[in-house]
Amino acid sequence: MIQFAGHSTAFDRALSLMPGGVNSPVRSFAAVGGAPVFIERAEGAWLESVDGRQLIDLVGSWGAAILGHGHPAVRDAIRAQSENTVSIGLASPRESDLAEEIIARVPSVQRVRFVNSGTEAVMSALRLARHVTGRRRIVRFEGGYHGHADALLSGAGSGVSTLGLDGEEYDATSDVTILPYNDIDAVKRVFDRIGAEIAGVILEPISGNMGVVPGDHPWLRALRNLTRRSGSVLIFDEVMTGFRVADGGAQSLLGVHADLTTLGKVIGGGLPVGAFGGSADLMDQIAPAGPVYQAGTMSGNPLTMAAGLAALRALDESAYAALERAGKRLQAGLEQAIQDSGFTACVQRQGSMLTLFPGLARVQSFSDANLVNRRQFSRFFHAMLRRGVHLPPSPHEAWFVSLAHDDEIIDAIVDAAAASLRELRDLSTKETTS
Ligand SMILES: *Cc1c(COP(=O)(O)O)cnc(C)c1O
């Protein structure tokens, strides 16, 4: 592994205390080399490192920070709620506040259960799908990431693919069928053969965890029709896309509705959260309304509920219009920089999430995404970091723009990218001529 930067004191300390020095592998710089930047403060679109560097943030708490860091409405909500309750482990009206907001805005959700992470939301949704169908088999897609439950890691995107792990050793069950993303024929073949065994199909309707790869509309419609016909549960994992790509998530944007939806990230206003929801019929199978057990000591805790509600209330029509404008400006700037540098790369975007894939012209599936030039990405990542822009340290992640990324900040990112791409081009010219 190429070391780009010396280990920092903060990283050395963390390394001696936590595996790899981090509490989630996607935070490590394992894929790009060097020591992660340790952050002391975050405000708007900016991060401040422990050594006082100001960096433009495109990680955005992996999508949660859609309003920008430390948004006053969210801060105030957390502060005010903390005066009343922090954690009670009992019912509070704050749960209904956020539930009402979500149910009003996500087309296919009539009832919701809050949990503490996206991983939990997906595990619970799968259990529910298996219960209501009386079947075991789950269909999922290469490059999708649905949390770190055993059965869902094989062929997963996000940190699993970033670190070059295939997740196979964790594939604790043979009840999971993994198909290529955006491949209608593969899905049809499986449903022809074993449709009656399939409890649920889970997917990111717009993938963010192999980088941004939108699901093709005909493929999504085929999934909707096939699951309906075979009595399987269609599960949209919108932990990333929910309230990110549009009000109500990918399903309101695409007009294809799921039976169950998992949420997370944005709906917690930056605090730990997950949720799953669907029709009242389905959701009322969950305990104590029904027999499917699902529980959590901290679930629906009032601080998270208050922060989430403040965030969702700030996400009105004009906010989504502004996010779209910012994403579009960034994409256009990056594409111009790519063209000017003569570098091969493509930019794929949905709203305020976007990925630049070095070495590729178009990405529609995980096998495409895996052809990304990882070495060039690592160089690009560090070239950007030197210029004060913190990207997600992986070629298989989305970059997240927030409402705090104004034109000036977007243009600064584009300028940094143009200079970084020129640097990369000069480097590779030198390498091929020497
Ligand atoms: C982030 C993510 C998860 C996992 O959520 P955690 O809160 O990290 O457990 C699941 N699915 C998708 C699509 C995600 O982006």
Side-chain angles (χ1 to χ4, degrees):
M1 182 67 62
I2 313 157
Q3 292 293 321
F4 290 85
H7 282 192
S8 64
T9 326
F11 190 39
D12 282 338
R13 176 169 172 235
L15 274 173
S16 71
L17 300 168
M18 293 166 285
V22 290
N23 283 302
S24 186
V26 297
R27 281 172 218 176
S28 81
F29 280 17
V32 293
V37 182
F38 278 62
I39 306 302
E40 196 66 69
R41 194 170 287 111
E43 183 82 41
W46 294 90
L47 303 170
E48 185 183 318
S49 70
V50 288
D51 48 8
R53 277 193 78 196
Q54 303 290 327
L55 302 166
I56 297 174
D57 182 24
L58 284 169
V59 179
S61 194
W62 303 95
I66 192 165
L67 307 178
H69 297 290
H71 189 276
V74 175
R75 268 193 184 147
D76 288 349
I78 293 173
R79 202 178 292 120
Q81 186 58 43
S82 73
E83 302 285 336
N84 291 335
T85 52
V86 170
S87 167
I88 39 177
L90 294 171
S92 95
R94 297 297 82 76
E95 296 157 276
S96 298
D97 292 345
L98 185 57
E100 241 165 32
E101 191 78 17
I102 289 171
I103 289 164
R105 292 169 71 166
V106 183
S108 63
V109 173
Q110 297 174 339
R111 293 253 202 292
V112 66
R113 162 74 45 100
F114 291 110
V115 294
N116 302 297
S117 68
T119 296
E120 272 183 80
V122 169
M123 286 165 52
S124 308
L126 294 186
R127 176 179 301 147
L128 178 55
R130 283 172 164 164
H131 169 83
V132 297
T133 57
R135 305 171 183 173
R136 290 292 305 162
R137 182 157 300 276
I138 299 294
V139 173
R140 43 173 286 255
F141 299 91
E142 290 166 357
Y145 179 68
H146 307 293
H148 63 272
D150 286 357
L152 300 172
L153 283 180
S154 184
S158 190
V160 184
S161 61
T162 299
L163 299 178
L165 309 171
D166 59 18
E168 221 138 73
E169 62 197 284
Y170 311 108
D171 190 5
T173 166
S174 54
D175 293 333
V176 178
T177 300
I178 307 170
L179 300 177
Y181 197 78
N182 271 336
D183 184 337
I184 292 192
D185 292 340
V187 171
K188 281 189 178 150
R189 276 197 301 274
V190 165
F191 270 89
D192 279 350
R193 201 158 48 80
I194 53 163
E197 292 170 26
I198 297 171
V201 175
I202 185 165
L203 66 144
E204 294 176 67
I206 295 164
S207 180
N209 283 295
M210 53 177 142
V212 175
V213 181
D216 291 338
H217 215 250
W219 177 68
L220 293 167
R221 271 206 313 275
L223 290 173
R224 180 61 282 178
N225 293 334
L226 289 164
T227 47
R228 190 168 280 143
R229 215 175 302 152
S230 76
S232 318
V233 179
L234 182 63
I235 306 168
F236 278 180
D237 184 351
E238 297 225 46
V239 171
M240 186 181 286
T241 53
F243 295 100
R244 164 56 69 174
V245 296
D247 190 1
Q251 56 196 283
S252 60
L253 190 73
L254 302 165
V256 180
H257 296 176
D259 299 311
L260 289 177
T261 300
T262 55
L263 296 165
K265 296 186 172 115
V266 169
I267 65 161
L271 295 185
V273 78
F276 62 105
S279 69
D281 272 1
L282 275 177
M283 289 303 290
D284 283 348
Q285 296 300 309
I286 298 286
V292 180
Y293 199 69
Q294 196 290 319
T297 302
M298 295 295 168
S299 295
N301 94 75
L303 277 191
T304 303
M305 299 294 104
L309 183 66
L312 292 194
R313 290 225 166 122
L315 287 168
D316 55 13
E317 211 174 304
S318 70
Y320 285 106
L323 287 162
E324 171 66 25
R325 267 198 310 278
K328 202 170 180 175
R329 188 180 182 96
L330 180 56
Q331 178 176 19
L334 291 172
E335 283 173 344
Q336 187 64 51
I338 290 166
Q339 202 183 335
D340 293 347
S341 69
F343 210 77
T344 306
C346 65
V347 179
Q348 297 196 171
R349 177 180 73 89
Q350 185 73 58
S352 56
M353 49 192 266
L354 149 171
T355 302
L356 184 152
F357 293 99
L360 302 182
R362 184 161 185 222
V363 181
Q364 283 182 287
S365 68
F366 193 44
S367 48
D368 294 346
N370 267 329
L371 298 174
V372 72
N373 191 321
R374 288 168 186 264
R375 187 174 145 95
Q376 275 176 4
F377 179 83
S378 302
R379 284 177 170 173
F380 180 66
F381 172 85
H382 282 283
M384 291 293 277
L385 191 58
R386 275 199 309 279
R387 292 176 174 85
V389 181
H390 197 313
L391 303 176
S394 160
H396 286 166
E397 297 286 0
W399 310 359
F400 294 100
V401 173
S402 80
L403 283 176
H405 290 71
D406 59 20
D407 286 356
E408 202 181 325
I409 290 174
I410 297 289
D411 294 347
I413 298 167
V414 169
D415 288 347
S420 299
L421 288 169
R422 279 196 299 274
E423 184 184 310
L424 259 67
R425 180 200 53 202
D426 294 346
L427 238 143
S428 48
T429 316
K430 218 182 291 166
E431 280 172 357
T432 47
T433 53
S434 66

PDB file of all heavy atoms in Angstrom, residues 116-120 122 145-148 204 209 237-240 265 273, ligand 1:
ATOM      1  N   ASN A 116     -32.202   1.708  15.207  1.00  0.00           N
ATOM      2  CA  ASN A 116     -31.048   2.571  15.440  1.00  0.00           C
ATOM      3  C   ASN A 116     -30.029   2.619  14.316  1.00  0.00           C
ATOM      4  O   ASN A 116     -29.057   3.365  14.386  1.00  0.00           O
ATOM      5  CB  ASN A 116     -30.348   2.151  16.734  1.00  0.00           C
ATOM      6  CG  ASN A 116     -31.303   2.231  17.903  1.00  0.00           C
ATOM      7  OD1 ASN A 116     -31.779   3.307  18.243  1.00  0.00           O
ATOM      8  ND2 ASN A 116     -31.635   1.090  18.479  1.00  0.00           N
ATOM      9  N   SER A 117     -30.229   1.806  13.297  1.00  0.00           N
ATOM     10  CA  SER A 117     -29.305   1.829  12.164  1.00  0.00           C
ATOM     11  C   SER A 117     -29.997   1.240  10.940  1.00  0.00           C
ATOM     12  O   SER A 117     -31.012   0.538  11.061  1.00  0.00           O
ATOM     13  CB  SER A 117     -28.040   1.012  12.471  1.00  0.00           C
ATOM     14  OG  SER A 117     -28.362  -0.366  12.552  1.00  0.00           O
ATOM     15  N   GLY A 118     -29.414   1.517   9.795  1.00  0.00           N
ATOM     16  CA  GLY A 118     -29.920   0.943   8.554  1.00  0.00           C
ATOM     17  C   GLY A 118     -29.799  -0.575   8.565  1.00  0.00           C
ATOM     18  O   GLY A 118     -30.667  -1.292   8.049  1.00  0.00           O
ATOM     19  N   THR A 119     -28.717  -1.067   9.135  1.00  0.00           N
ATOM     20  CA  THR A 119     -28.511  -2.515   9.236  1.00  0.00           C
ATOM     21  C   THR A 119     -29.696  -3.189   9.921  1.00  0.00           C
ATOM     22  O   THR A 119     -30.247  -4.172   9.430  1.00  0.00           O
ATOM     23  CB  THR A 119     -27.215  -2.808  10.038  1.00  0.00           C
ATOM     24  OG1 THR A 119     -26.106  -2.288   9.297  1.00  0.00           O
ATOM     25  CG2 THR A 119     -27.017  -4.288  10.283  1.00  0.00           C
ATOM     26  N   GLU A 120     -30.075  -2.627  11.053  1.00  0.00           N
ATOM     27  CA  GLU A 120     -31.215  -3.178  11.802  1.00  0.00           C
ATOM     28  C   GLU A 120     -32.508  -3.097  11.005  1.00  0.00           C
ATOM     29  O   GLU A 120     -33.345  -4.001  11.065  1.00  0.00           O
ATOM     30  CB  GLU A 120     -31.435  -2.342  13.062  1.00  0.00           C
ATOM     31  CG  GLU A 120     -30.673  -2.741  14.270  1.00  0.00           C
ATOM     32  CD  GLU A 120     -31.109  -1.828  15.418  1.00  0.00           C
ATOM     33  OE1 GLU A 120     -32.173  -2.065  16.005  1.00  0.00           O
ATOM     34  OE2 GLU A 120     -30.373  -0.860  15.698  1.00  0.00           O
ATOM     35  N   VAL A 122     -32.948  -3.176   7.798  1.00  0.00           N
ATOM     36  CA  VAL A 122     -32.974  -4.198   6.751  1.00  0.00           C
ATOM     37  C   VAL A 122     -33.199  -5.587   7.359  1.00  0.00           C
ATOM     38  O   VAL A 122     -34.012  -6.378   6.863  1.00  0.00           O
ATOM     39  CB  VAL A 122     -31.661  -4.166   5.935  1.00  0.00           C
ATOM     40  CG1 VAL A 122     -31.567  -5.386   5.032  1.00  0.00           C
ATOM     41  CG2 VAL A 122     -31.582  -2.880   5.115  1.00  0.00           C
ATOM     42  N   TYR A 145     -25.473  -2.422  -0.977  1.00  0.00           N
ATOM     43  CA  TYR A 145     -25.080  -2.592   0.417  1.00  0.00           C
ATOM     44  C   TYR A 145     -26.333  -2.427   1.269  1.00  0.00           C
ATOM     45  O   TYR A 145     -27.070  -1.450   1.116  1.00  0.00           O
ATOM     46  CB  TYR A 145     -24.028  -1.557   0.826  1.00  0.00           C
ATOM     47  CG  TYR A 145     -23.622  -1.686   2.279  1.00  0.00           C
ATOM     48  CD1 TYR A 145     -22.901  -2.799   2.717  1.00  0.00           C
ATOM     49  CD2 TYR A 145     -23.987  -0.726   3.223  1.00  0.00           C
ATOM     50  CE1 TYR A 145     -22.550  -2.940   4.053  1.00  0.00           C
ATOM     51  CE2 TYR A 145     -23.632  -0.856   4.557  1.00  0.00           C
ATOM     52  CZ  TYR A 145     -22.919  -1.963   4.967  1.00  0.00           C
ATOM     53  OH  TYR A 145     -22.567  -2.104   6.288  1.00  0.00           O
ATOM     54  N   HIS A 146     -26.559  -3.421   2.128  1.00  0.00           N
ATOM     55  CA  HIS A 146     -27.771  -3.393   2.951  1.00  0.00           C
ATOM     56  C   HIS A 146     -27.434  -3.591   4.422  1.00  0.00           C
ATOM     57  O   HIS A 146     -28.177  -4.213   5.160  1.00  0.00           O
ATOM     58  CB  HIS A 146     -28.743  -4.469   2.475  1.00  0.00           C
ATOM     59  CG  HIS A 146     -29.046  -4.391   1.007  1.00  0.00           C
ATOM     60  ND1 HIS A 146     -29.741  -3.339   0.457  1.00  0.00           N
ATOM     61  CD2 HIS A 146     -28.716  -5.209  -0.023  1.00  0.00           C
ATOM     62  CE1 HIS A 146     -29.836  -3.530  -0.866  1.00  0.00           C
ATOM     63  NE2 HIS A 146     -29.222  -4.637  -1.176  1.00  0.00           N
ATOM     64  N   GLY A 147     -26.270  -3.070   4.821  1.00  0.00           N
ATOM     65  CA  GLY A 147     -25.857  -3.245   6.202  1.00  0.00           C
ATOM     66  C   GLY A 147     -25.020  -4.509   6.339  1.00  0.00           C
ATOM     67  O   GLY A 147     -24.782  -5.226   5.370  1.00  0.00           O
ATOM     68  N   HIS A 148     -24.581  -4.790   7.577  1.00  0.00           N
ATOM     69  CA  HIS A 148     -23.567  -5.832   7.739  1.00  0.00           C
ATOM     70  C   HIS A 148     -24.125  -7.140   8.306  1.00  0.00           C
ATOM     71  O   HIS A 148     -23.408  -7.932   8.898  1.00  0.00           O
ATOM     72  CB  HIS A 148     -22.408  -5.318   8.585  1.00  0.00           C
ATOM     73  CG  HIS A 148     -22.812  -4.965   9.994  1.00  0.00           C
ATOM     74  ND1 HIS A 148     -23.273  -3.712  10.329  1.00  0.00           N
ATOM     75  CD2 HIS A 148     -22.842  -5.694  11.120  1.00  0.00           C
ATOM     76  CE1 HIS A 148     -23.562  -3.700  11.615  1.00  0.00           C
ATOM     77  NE2 HIS A 148     -23.311  -4.885  12.124  1.00  0.00           N
ATOM     78  N   GLU A 204     -31.313  -1.386  -3.721  1.00  0.00           N
ATOM     79  CA  GLU A 204     -31.262   0.066  -3.716  1.00  0.00           C
ATOM     80  C   GLU A 204     -31.832   0.498  -5.069  1.00  0.00           C
ATOM     81  O   GLU A 204     -31.215   0.234  -6.102  1.00  0.00           O
ATOM     82  CB  GLU A 204     -29.824   0.557  -3.607  1.00  0.00           C
ATOM     83  CG  GLU A 204     -29.132   0.228  -2.301  1.00  0.00           C
ATOM     84  CD  GLU A 204     -27.660   0.661  -2.322  1.00  0.00           C
ATOM     85  OE1 GLU A 204     -27.407   1.871  -2.362  1.00  0.00           O
ATOM     86  OE2 GLU A 204     -26.782  -0.211  -2.324  1.00  0.00           O
ATOM     87  N   ASN A 209     -24.030   2.615  -3.268  1.00  0.00           N
ATOM     88  CA  ASN A 209     -22.962   1.917  -2.562  1.00  0.00           C
ATOM     89  C   ASN A 209     -21.973   1.182  -3.465  1.00  0.00           C
ATOM     90  O   ASN A 209     -21.062   0.521  -2.975  1.00  0.00           O
ATOM     91  CB  ASN A 209     -23.562   0.962  -1.532  1.00  0.00           C
ATOM     92  CG  ASN A 209     -24.040   1.712  -0.293  1.00  0.00           C
ATOM     93  OD1 ASN A 209     -23.238   2.294   0.419  1.00  0.00           O
ATOM     94  ND2 ASN A 209     -25.343   1.728  -0.050  1.00  0.00           N
ATOM     95  N   ASP A 237     -34.447  -0.598  -0.332  1.00  0.00           N
ATOM     96  CA  ASP A 237     -33.543  -0.117   0.693  1.00  0.00           C
ATOM     97  C   ASP A 237     -33.219   1.338   0.363  1.00  0.00           C
ATOM     98  O   ASP A 237     -32.368   1.625  -0.486  1.00  0.00           O
ATOM     99  CB  ASP A 237     -32.282  -0.979   0.751  1.00  0.00           C
ATOM    100  CG  ASP A 237     -31.358  -0.544   1.877  1.00  0.00           C
ATOM    101  OD1 ASP A 237     -31.618   0.517   2.491  1.00  0.00           O
ATOM    102  OD2 ASP A 237     -30.373  -1.261   2.135  1.00  0.00           O
ATOM    103  N   GLU A 238     -33.923   2.220   1.034  1.00  0.00           N
ATOM    104  CA  GLU A 238     -33.744   3.664   0.801  1.00  0.00           C
ATOM    105  C   GLU A 238     -33.039   4.320   1.986  1.00  0.00           C
ATOM    106  O   GLU A 238     -33.271   5.499   2.286  1.00  0.00           O
ATOM    107  CB  GLU A 238     -35.098   4.330   0.531  1.00  0.00           C
ATOM    108  CG  GLU A 238     -35.777   3.812  -0.734  1.00  0.00           C
ATOM    109  CD  GLU A 238     -36.358   4.945  -1.587  1.00  0.00           C
ATOM    110  OE1 GLU A 238     -35.648   5.948  -1.804  1.00  0.00           O
ATOM    111  OE2 GLU A 238     -37.515   4.792  -2.005  1.00  0.00           O
ATOM    112  N   VAL A 239     -32.190   3.542   2.657  1.00  0.00           N
ATOM    113  CA  VAL A 239     -31.430   4.116   3.772  1.00  0.00           C
ATOM    114  C   VAL A 239     -30.609   5.308   3.271  1.00  0.00           C
ATOM    115  O   VAL A 239     -30.493   6.328   3.965  1.00  0.00           O
ATOM    116  CB  VAL A 239     -30.527   3.044   4.418  1.00  0.00           C
ATOM    117  CG1 VAL A 239     -29.567   3.671   5.420  1.00  0.00           C
ATOM    118  CG2 VAL A 239     -31.386   1.986   5.109  1.00  0.00           C
ATOM    119  N   MET A 240     -30.071   5.191   2.044  1.00  0.00           N
ATOM    120  CA  MET A 240     -29.309   6.308   1.495  1.00  0.00           C
ATOM    121  C   MET A 240     -30.188   7.277   0.698  1.00  0.00           C
ATOM    122  O   MET A 240     -30.072   8.484   0.831  1.00  0.00           O
ATOM    123  CB  MET A 240     -28.179   5.794   0.606  1.00  0.00           C
ATOM    124  CG  MET A 240     -27.252   6.884   0.101  1.00  0.00           C
ATOM    125  SD  MET A 240     -25.948   6.252  -0.965  1.00  0.00           S
ATOM    126  CE  MET A 240     -24.861   5.455   0.213  1.00  0.00           C
ATOM    127  N   LYS A 265     -30.019   7.269   7.798  1.00  0.00           N
ATOM    128  CA  LYS A 265     -29.250   8.461   7.428  1.00  0.00           C
ATOM    129  C   LYS A 265     -30.043   9.774   7.565  1.00  0.00           C
ATOM    130  O   LYS A 265     -30.164  10.286   8.670  1.00  0.00           O
ATOM    131  CB  LYS A 265     -28.652   8.252   6.038  1.00  0.00           C
ATOM    132  CG  LYS A 265     -27.653   7.068   6.091  1.00  0.00           C
ATOM    133  CD  LYS A 265     -26.865   6.788   4.856  1.00  0.00           C
ATOM    134  CE  LYS A 265     -25.801   5.723   5.119  1.00  0.00           C
ATOM    135  NZ  LYS A 265     -25.946   4.480   4.420  1.00  0.00           N
ATOM    136  N   VAL A 273     -29.858   6.291  13.440  1.00  0.00           N
ATOM    137  CA  VAL A 273     -31.255   5.980  13.177  1.00  0.00           C
ATOM    138  C   VAL A 273     -31.406   4.953  12.063  1.00  0.00           C
ATOM    139  O   VAL A 273     -30.519   4.754  11.248  1.00  0.00           O
ATOM    140  CB  VAL A 273     -32.032   7.262  12.781  1.00  0.00           C
ATOM    141  CG1 VAL A 273     -31.763   7.660  11.336  1.00  0.00           C
ATOM    142  CG2 VAL A 273     -33.533   7.114  13.016  1.00  0.00           C
TER     143      VAL A 273
HETATM  144  C1  LIG B   1     -25.797   3.057   4.948  1.00  0.00           C
HETATM  145  C2  LIG B   1     -26.682   2.014   4.368  1.00  0.00           C
HETATM  146  C3  LIG B   1     -27.129   0.920   5.116  1.00  0.00           C
HETATM  147  C4  LIG B   1     -26.651   0.652   6.506  1.00  0.00           C
HETATM  148  O1  LIG B   1     -27.023   1.631   7.405  1.00  0.00           O
HETATM  149  P1  LIG B   1     -26.225   1.721   8.810  1.00  0.00           P
HETATM  150  O2  LIG B   1     -26.948   2.795   9.546  1.00  0.00           O
HETATM  151  O3  LIG B   1     -24.823   2.062   8.450  1.00  0.00           O
HETATM  152  O4  LIG B   1     -26.325   0.383   9.449  1.00  0.00           O
HETATM  153  C5  LIG B   1     -28.035   0.053   4.542  1.00  0.00           C
HETATM  154  N1  LIG B   1     -28.466   0.239   3.292  1.00  0.00           N
HETATM  155  C6  LIG B   1     -28.061   1.270   2.529  1.00  0.00           C
HETATM  156  C7  LIG B   1     -28.602   1.428   1.150  1.00  0.00           C
HETATM  157  C8  LIG B   1     -27.142   2.178   3.035  1.00  0.00           C
HETATM  158  O5  LIG B   1     -26.702   3.172   2.263  1.00  0.00           O
END
